[in-house]
């Protein structure tokens, strides 16, 4: 798919005219690739690099223009909202034209970062700024999703939420790699700002972009370290929840085993023979009441025994100099 834009009154507006100097190709087909190679004088290797999600970010400056490979986050879909990926985008800046090649997604030129644009060189740092803010927006979403998953993991006994946490951790690793790759592009663009034709205002903007990119990179590193560092602890939470459930089921089984035995004996004719002089309603009501009392007493005894064992274990930890974990 192809879009055309041109600068009118310091704004980027869609255009169908031949004078359009901003061209955007999204997942170009064979005909559009042929146009890029023959008419716009693209290099075949550069074209394939712009569409390769595994390509490393780089900058090539030549007499024909400036070619940039940049990593940017993919748009997140509802169906796959816990997997955040990155893709490559190619930008080819010539004296009279800027060509953008996207692997997926629509052009971002309607965003607020692209307001008040006076030249093609002014679009380049604004595109970089928009990419960084796109990463930051996704980091906020990842933080919110992590908080929601932590709440579910505290009561869950399934691996589903833990696998979703692994997916978020993997996404942060991809983001970290992409941001580190983009850092080299920003530094090289700033060092060659005079050769590119940046104005003083655009140089200052590049300095601000580099600072914002460093903050985004550090934030990603923190999120990735926290998420991966606590992954084992969250897995232990699921195991602990399962152990608590098994303990409760064991208590129930222990309580009902003798009750089943007594109920089996009471269901035989001998109990009726033993209580011949008593009404059946009274005798069996007393029998059921005795079963309930016995089951309740057994439950209390088992729970107190488990509590005493836990208290003894905590005392041993305190004597050993290990602080007990608070819940």
């Amino acid at each position: 798919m192809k879009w055309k834009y041109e600068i009118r009154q310091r704004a980027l507006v869609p255009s169908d005219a031949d004078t359009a100097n901003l061209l955007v190709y999204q997942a170009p087909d064979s005909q559009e690739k042929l146009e890029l190679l023959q008419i716009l004088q693209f290099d075949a290797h550069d074209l394939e690099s712009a569409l390769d999600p595994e390509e490393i970010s780089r900058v090539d400056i030549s007499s024909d223009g400036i070619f940039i490979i940049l990593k940017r986050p993919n748009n997140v879909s509802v169906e796959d909202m816990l997997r955040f990926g990155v893709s490559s985008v190619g930008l080819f800046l010539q004296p009279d034209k800027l060509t953008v090649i996207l692997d997926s997604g629509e052009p971002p030129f309607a965003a607020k970062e692209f307001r008040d644009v006076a030249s093609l060189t002014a679009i380049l740092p604004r595109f970089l700024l928009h990419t960084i803010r796109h990463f930051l927006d996704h980091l906020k979403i990842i933080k919110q999703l992590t908080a929601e998953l932590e709440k579910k993991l505290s009561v869950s006994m399934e691996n589903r939420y833990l696998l979703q946490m692994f997916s978020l951790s993997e996404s942060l690793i991809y983001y970290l790699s992409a941001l580190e790759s983009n850092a080299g592009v920003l530094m090289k663009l700033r060092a060659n700002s005079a050769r590119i034709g940046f104005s003083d205002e655009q140089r200052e903007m590049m300095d601000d972009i580099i600072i914002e990119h460093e903050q985004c990179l550090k934030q990603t590193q923190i999120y990735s370290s926290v998420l991966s560092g606590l992954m084992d602890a969250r897995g232990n939470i699921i195991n602990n929840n399962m152990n608590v459930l098994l303990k409760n089921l064991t208590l129930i089984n222990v309580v009902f085993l003798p009750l089943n035995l007594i109920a089996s004996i009471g269901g035989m004719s001998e109990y009726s023979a033993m209580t011949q002089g008593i009404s059946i309603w009274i005798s069996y009501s007393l029998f059921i009441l005795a079963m309930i009392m016995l089951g309740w007493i057994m439950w209390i005894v088992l729970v107190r025994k488990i509590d005493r064992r836990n208290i003894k274990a905590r005392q041993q930890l305190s004597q050993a100099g290990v602080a007990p974990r608070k819940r």
Side-chain angles (χ1 to χ4, degrees):
M1 189 174 294
K2 179 180 177 181
W3 290 270
K4 292 182 179 181
Y5 297 87
E6 62 178 323
I7 300 174
R8 293 181 188 170
Q9 298 178 354
R10 302 180 69 88
L12 281 174
V13 295
S15 174
D16 292 330
D18 295 335
T19 57
N21 50 9
L22 174 57
L23 305 179
V24 181
Y25 293 84
Q26 186 264 322
D29 55 24
S30 56
Q31 184 64 33
E32 290 170 343
K33 287 182 179 180
L34 186 61
E35 178 182 339
L36 286 167
L37 293 173
Q38 295 183 354
I39 300 177
L40 299 178
Q41 300 299 313
F42 253 75
D43 183 74
H45 174 71
D46 292 340
L47 179 58
E48 294 301 325
S49 298
L51 299 173
D52 184 5
E54 304 299 329
E55 185 69 21
I56 299 176
S57 302
R58 57 184 173 87
V59 179
D60 294 331
I61 301 176
S62 64
S63 58
D64 297 331
I66 303 167
F67 182 71
I68 303 171
I69 296 289
L70 197 69
K71 310 299 289 187
R72 70 166 192 159
N74 293 333
N75 292 328
V76 183
S77 62
V78 178
E79 294 79 7
D80 198 23
M81 65 179 306
L82 294 188
R83 184 172 294 278
F84 296 76
V86 294
S87 60
S88 300
V89 54
L91 299 96
F92 187 36
L93 178 61
Q94 298 171 294
D96 59 344
K97 190 169 295 185
L98 174 61
T99 306
V100 180
I101 303 174
L102 305 174
D103 182 37
S104 61
E106 295 185 356
F109 298 111
K112 64 180 181 179
E113 287 85 4
F114 296 97
R115 298 172 185 172
D116 193 22
V117 176
S119 63
L120 292 176
T121 54
I123 298 176
L124 188 56
R126 294 171 188 268
F127 191 94
L128 299 173
L129 180 61
H130 178 270
T131 301
I132 295 171
R133 290 178 176 174
H134 198 175
F135 273 112
L136 289 172
D137 291 340
H138 281 199
L139 290 177
K140 293 178 182 178
I141 297 174
I142 290 175
K143 185 178 181 181
Q144 294 173 358
L145 290 174
T146 302
E148 291 295 327
L149 288 175
E150 286 177 349
K151 293 179 182 178
K152 295 177 180 178
L153 279 171
S154 62
V155 295
S156 174
M157 289 171 290
E158 301 178 1
N159 289 329
R160 178 177 49 156
Y161 300 121
L162 189 62
L163 292 176
Q164 291 176 349
M165 194 78 76
F166 276 122
S167 179
L168 288 180
S169 179
E170 183 182 5
S171 299
L172 284 174
I173 293 175
Y174 289 139
Y175 275 21
L176 190 60
S177 176
L179 288 168
E180 290 177 347
S181 183
N182 286 349
V185 171
L186 296 178
M187 298 303 296
K188 189 170 182 178
L189 289 175
R190 180 62 183 89
N192 292 274
S193 57
R195 186 176 177 182
I196 297 172
F198 285 156
S199 63
D200 293 338
E201 180 182 357
Q202 291 163 3
R203 291 192 186 97
E204 293 178 1
M205 188 175 184
M206 284 297 301
D207 292 334
D208 295 337
I209 289 172
I210 291 174
I211 294 174
E212 192 162 349
H213 182 272
E214 290 177 353
Q215 293 174 346
C216 181
L217 180 59
K218 289 180 181 178
Q219 190 172 348
T220 306
Q221 290 173 341
I222 293 172
Y223 285 1
S224 180
S225 299
V226 171
L227 198 59
S228 61
L230 297 179
M231 197 69 67
D232 293 338
R234 294 184 177 105
N236 291 334
I237 290 175
I238 294 179
N239 293 333
N240 183 66
N241 293 338
M242 182 64 70
N243 292 335
V244 171
L245 176 63
L246 293 175
K247 183 190 75 172
N248 294 334
L249 290 176
T250 303
L251 287 174
I252 294 173
N253 288 331
V254 171
V255 169
F256 276 93
L257 279 174
L259 296 182
N260 289 333
L261 177 62
I262 297 173
S264 299
I265 296 173
M268 295 188 294
S269 59
E270 284 79 1
Y271 183 74
S272 299
M274 293 168 57
T275 58
Q276 280 183 348
I278 305 174
S279 172
I280 190 172
W281 298 105
I282 296 175
S283 62
Y284 275 92
S285 297
L286 293 174
F287 181 74
I288 292 172
L289 181 61
M291 289 181 61
I292 293 174
M293 292 297 295
L294 181 59
W296 180 73
I297 292 171
M298 291 184 63
W299 179 274
I300 295 298
V301 171
L302 289 172
V303 169
R304 287 184 177 179
K305 187 175 181 180
I306 292 173
D307 289 342
R308 284 198 299 269
R309 186 176 297 174
N310 292 337
I311 292 172
K312 185 177 179 180
R314 285 196 292 268
Q315 290 175 350
Q316 292 176 351
L317 288 175
S318 299
Q319 293 175 358
V322 179
R325 185 177 179 182
K326 296 181 179 180
R327 296 186 180 179

